[in-house]
Amino acid sequence: MLDFRNIEIKDKDWIKELLSYSDYRGCEYTFGNNFIWSDAFKIQIARYKDFYIVQSEGEFFFPAGRGNYEEVITLLREYCKRQDKHLCFGSSPKSGAEYLKELYGDRIDIYSNRDFFDYCYNYDDLSLLIGKKYHSKRNFINRFIQNEWSYEEISENNINDCIDVLQKWYEENKDSDDPSMEQEVKASEKGLKYFEELDFRGGLLRVGGKPVAFTFGEGINSDTFDVHVEKALSEYDGTYPMINKEFVSRSCSGYRYINREEDVGEENLRRAKLSYHPAFMEEKYRIIFKD
């Protein structure tokens, strides 16, 4: 029997343990991501034996954990049938899609959506920006360092400064026709509110003592760090490349890859993420059961 409920901060330890068993690389397989976006995406969770199950707006993430996958998927199919609907995994790693295809064959439909693939970069590339392909990034950084700048780790002492940057960023970029931006601000605020409890790592950039950019994230799996949020004001050239490089080089050592999440089909965001030359895209699939 599955008992879905809202995710709470006290769930962190057992969820992170079950996530570690699968070692998936997608950004949705982190406790912090699920927690800070839980209101926006109506996320509910359940535990079945050693499986962590996430339901988001009536669809599911492919289960994370260990044990008999066929058993837990059968349980999910029965749960959906009681609600008079077919099981749908709104997001599944490639390994999950391959497993389900082998098990169920033509009884499922599998779709890929490039808009929701995660951009994964080599740690060395983002931390060093070496080579011709990063020439423009280094130029922007060289402009930025002409300012009187400083960098510091996020702590309880500067959380309010991060919130100040976030609010100013929203005022600079808000679009009344795009409600997702307000959801993004709320998720970022929640991440800052529970920053220490979530075991996040983050960095804050200042110019002349004034906060101008911040970022934070957490480890996803054994070799990948996930950057959940990165926000910068437009007053200075090179602020985004600078906060990116400083944070990765100072706080993400020990990880081979940096996941900077998806572009959701937004053209400018896609262009920006591609400009950092990802090592690969973490593919995700939508899977719908026909019966």
Side-chain angles (χ1 to χ4, degrees), residues 115 263-271:
D115 293 352
D263 62 37
V264 298
E266 206 280 306
E267 184 178 349
N268 290 334
L269 188 56
R270 176 167 297 187
R271 189 181 302 113

mmCIF file of all heavy atoms in Angstrom, residues 115 263-271:
data_model
loop_
_atom_site.group_PDB
_atom_site.id
_atom_site.type_symbol
_atom_site.label_atom_id
_atom_site.label_comp_id
_atom_site.label_asym_id
_atom_site.label_seq_id
_atom_site.Cartn_x
_atom_site.Cartn_y
_atom_site.Cartn_z
ATOM 1 N N ASP A 115 14.064 19.467 -24.132
ATOM 2 C CA ASP A 115 13.920 20.635 -23.256
ATOM 3 C C ASP A 115 14.242 20.321 -21.801
ATOM 4 O O ASP A 115 14.591 21.226 -21.036
ATOM 5 C CB ASP A 115 12.501 21.198 -23.333
ATOM 6 C CG ASP A 115 12.171 21.792 -24.692
ATOM 7 O OD1 ASP A 115 13.094 21.904 -25.531
ATOM 8 O OD2 ASP A 115 10.992 22.131 -24.922
ATOM 9 N N ASP A 263 17.113 23.441 -19.685
ATOM 10 C CA ASP A 263 16.815 24.796 -20.171
ATOM 11 C C ASP A 263 15.321 25.017 -20.409
ATOM 12 O O ASP A 263 14.904 26.112 -20.795
ATOM 13 C CB ASP A 263 17.600 25.105 -21.450
ATOM 14 C CG ASP A 263 17.250 24.184 -22.623
ATOM 15 O OD1 ASP A 263 16.081 23.803 -22.783
ATOM 16 O OD2 ASP A 263 18.163 23.846 -23.403
ATOM 17 N N VAL A 264 14.508 23.981 -20.187
ATOM 18 C CA VAL A 264 13.042 23.999 -20.353
ATOM 19 C C VAL A 264 12.599 24.630 -21.676
ATOM 20 O O VAL A 264 11.505 25.188 -21.780
ATOM 21 C CB VAL A 264 12.317 24.680 -19.157
ATOM 22 C CG1 VAL A 264 12.569 23.920 -17.886
ATOM 23 C CG2 VAL A 264 12.746 26.144 -18.984
ATOM 24 N N GLY A 265 13.454 24.548 -22.693
ATOM 25 C CA GLY A 265 13.093 25.049 -24.008
ATOM 26 C C GLY A 265 13.221 26.553 -24.188
ATOM 27 O O GLY A 265 12.845 27.083 -25.239
ATOM 28 N N GLU A 266 13.757 27.241 -23.182
ATOM 29 C CA GLU A 266 13.897 28.706 -23.247
ATOM 30 C C GLU A 266 15.156 29.043 -24.067
ATOM 31 O O GLU A 266 16.257 28.656 -23.707
ATOM 32 C CB GLU A 266 13.999 29.263 -21.832
ATOM 33 C CG GLU A 266 13.522 30.704 -21.704
ATOM 34 C CD GLU A 266 14.584 31.682 -22.169
ATOM 35 O OE1 GLU A 266 15.721 31.603 -21.664
ATOM 36 O OE2 GLU A 266 14.274 32.521 -23.049
ATOM 37 N N GLU A 267 14.969 29.748 -25.164
ATOM 38 C CA GLU A 267 16.041 29.937 -26.142
ATOM 39 C C GLU A 267 17.286 30.603 -25.560
ATOM 40 O O GLU A 267 18.412 30.142 -25.799
ATOM 41 C CB GLU A 267 15.516 30.762 -27.317
ATOM 42 C CG GLU A 267 16.517 30.944 -28.442
ATOM 43 C CD GLU A 267 15.951 31.725 -29.607
ATOM 44 O OE1 GLU A 267 14.723 31.942 -29.634
ATOM 45 O OE2 GLU A 267 16.743 32.111 -30.490
ATOM 46 N N ASN A 268 17.118 31.678 -24.823
ATOM 47 C CA ASN A 268 18.282 32.380 -24.264
ATOM 48 C C ASN A 268 19.019 31.527 -23.247
ATOM 49 O O ASN A 268 20.257 31.530 -23.197
ATOM 50 C CB ASN A 268 17.842 33.694 -23.626
ATOM 51 C CG ASN A 268 17.399 34.724 -24.646
ATOM 52 O OD1 ASN A 268 17.831 34.680 -25.799
ATOM 53 N ND2 ASN A 268 16.532 35.626 -24.235
ATOM 54 N N LEU A 269 18.259 30.791 -22.446
ATOM 55 C CA LEU A 269 18.876 29.917 -21.453
ATOM 56 C C LEU A 269 19.632 28.786 -22.136
ATOM 57 O O LEU A 269 20.728 28.414 -21.709
ATOM 58 C CB LEU A 269 17.801 29.366 -20.514
ATOM 59 C CG LEU A 269 18.270 28.576 -19.289
ATOM 60 C CD1 LEU A 269 19.225 29.403 -18.435
ATOM 61 C CD2 LEU A 269 17.073 28.113 -18.464
ATOM 62 N N ARG A 270 19.062 28.265 -23.211
ATOM 63 C CA ARG A 270 19.747 27.194 -23.953
ATOM 64 C C ARG A 270 21.061 27.693 -24.531
ATOM 65 O O ARG A 270 22.090 27.019 -24.454
ATOM 66 C CB ARG A 270 18.840 26.657 -25.063
ATOM 67 C CG ARG A 270 19.507 25.603 -25.944
ATOM 68 C CD ARG A 270 18.516 24.882 -26.817
ATOM 69 N NE ARG A 270 17.537 24.131 -26.016
ATOM 70 C CZ ARG A 270 16.642 23.298 -26.531
ATOM 71 N NH1 ARG A 270 16.609 23.082 -27.840
ATOM 72 N NH2 ARG A 270 15.788 22.669 -25.759
ATOM 73 N N ARG A 271 21.026 28.884 -25.088
ATOM 74 C CA ARG A 271 22.239 29.456 -25.675
ATOM 75 C C ARG A 271 23.319 29.633 -24.600
ATOM 76 O O ARG A 271 24.499 29.342 -24.829
ATOM 77 C CB ARG A 271 21.911 30.798 -26.328
ATOM 78 C CG ARG A 271 23.045 31.374 -27.152
ATOM 79 C CD ARG A 271 22.681 32.714 -27.770
ATOM 80 N NE ARG A 271 21.497 32.610 -28.605
ATOM 81 C CZ ARG A 271 20.332 33.189 -28.334
ATOM 82 N NH1 ARG A 271 20.191 33.911 -27.242
ATOM 83 N NH2 ARG A 271 19.311 33.061 -29.144
#
